[in-house]
Amino acid sequence: MTSPRRKHGKAALTAVVLAAAVAGGCQRGDSTGPSPGSCPRTLARAEAAVKRAEQADVPWNGPTSGPAAVSGKRTIVYVAQTVTNPGVAGVANGVRDAAKVIGWNVRVIDGGGTPAGIQAALSEAVALKPSGIVIGGFDPESTARQVAEADAAGIPLVGWHAVAAPGPSKKPKLFTNITTRVEDVAGISADWVISQSDGRAGVVIFTDASIPFAKHKSELIRKELSTCAGAKLLSYENIPLPDASSRTPQEVSFLLSRFQDEWTHSIAINDLYFADAAPAFRAAGKPGSGPPFNIGAGDGDPSAFQRINSDQNQAATVPEPLSQQGWQVIDEFNRAFSGQEPSEYIAPIHISTAANSGGATAWDPSGYRAAYRKIWRK
């Protein structure tokens, strides 16, 4: 069933396309190219994928068996890239909640978002000789010496968004890394644009090419968009995340002036770009409900949900289940302490919109707490 928001978006986009056609061409500067919407097979596949991803009440598909909670007190140190990163902080909160259930202690050390700060934080963590250390949202290659020290001390490391792929890692050595698949996140964000626009979209991508993971994600988004001839990439904006607050408003104003109504959709590798873009959209008289219709292919932080739920220049996000992943961190450590293999569970991708979020400020799927309690006999 099509939501009122989507009907409104399609109507607006249809008007844009018709106006462009009357003006002399469906794609500016390329009147001989394929007409927008000329990807029926891609559109059908994208619509089916988005429909699955937008389901909010999905049964738990993670582990249902594993070792009981190990006896005795254990201490886990969570080394955070920076606690001001909502994704990193959200997982830390999940780790704390799960540790209380299993009977362990948790300490969080803030790396402050700088290479030197993260290295110092991990050095401090190793010196504490904890039972396990979480690599919370930073590249362990940047702390190679500290990772080697932890390995030499027999301290298992569990990563969250530490390396690109989920599961165990040999180099750097991690018992496991917890993340959704970047290919899935990139693909579904592009599919949402294709589906929401009926295969007729003028798209701007916001990325940070200085971060290999972010650049890879945005290239995957670009690749998926290219499967639909009617999804035209207008601009590929490289704005480093530390500069987003100062550069994004200016860039958005320029893009609005350049492309005007041809710009119908945006995809950003992190939701925060849309927080910084909102003032420029408002100054240009753009309605908060779009167009442009904006989707974040990032962690899905609370501010993104607030923008989505209140029609403030963001229509959707592809969030990580941060609390669930925090519980998974504790479960993976329990498997490591018990001499078992990691679960290698990967959470399915989800799209949050105003229509399915229920006013929540995080994606918190059901079933995982009860499942982990049962596994741990807690």
Side-chain angles (χ1 to χ4, degrees), residues 198-256:
D198 277 339
R200 302 173 178 89
V203 188
V204 172
I205 295 175
F206 294 94
T207 190
D208 182 348
S210 69
I211 303 174
F213 181 83
K215 182 179 179 181
H216 179 52
K217 183 191 290 186
S218 55
E219 288 297 327
L220 290 170
I221 292 169
R222 188 209 295 255
K223 181 179 179 181
E224 180 65 12
L225 285 173
S226 71
T227 64
C228 180
K232 181 181 178 182
L233 180 59
L234 302 177
S235 185
Y236 189 84
E237 292 295 310
N238 174 28
I239 302 176
L241 286 168
D243 300 334
S245 60
S246 60
R247 285 186 52 188
T248 302
Q250 181 179 354
E251 293 296 330
V252 168
S253 295
F254 171 75
L255 292 168
L256 287 169

Side-chain angles (χ1 to χ4, degrees), residues 263-285:
W263 180 7
T264 65
H265 290 78
S266 315
I267 307 174
I269 55 95
N270 191 295
D271 292 294
L272 69 80
Y273 286 105
F274 299 129
D276 298 322
F281 284 130
R282 289 194 293 267

Side-chain angles (χ1 to χ4, degrees), residues 8 30 44 49 57 60 62 75 78 101-102 114 118 153 160 175 178 205 242 252 254 265 293 297 308 319 322 344 356:
H8 174 77
D30 185 19
D57 189 14
W60 170 245
T75 297
Y78 186 104
V101 171
I102 210 168
T114 67
I118 293 168
W160 179 80
F175 180 73
I178 298 171
I205 295 175
V252 168
F254 171 75
H265 290 78
F293 302 98
I308 291 166
L322 302 174
E344 298 195 47
N356 69 6

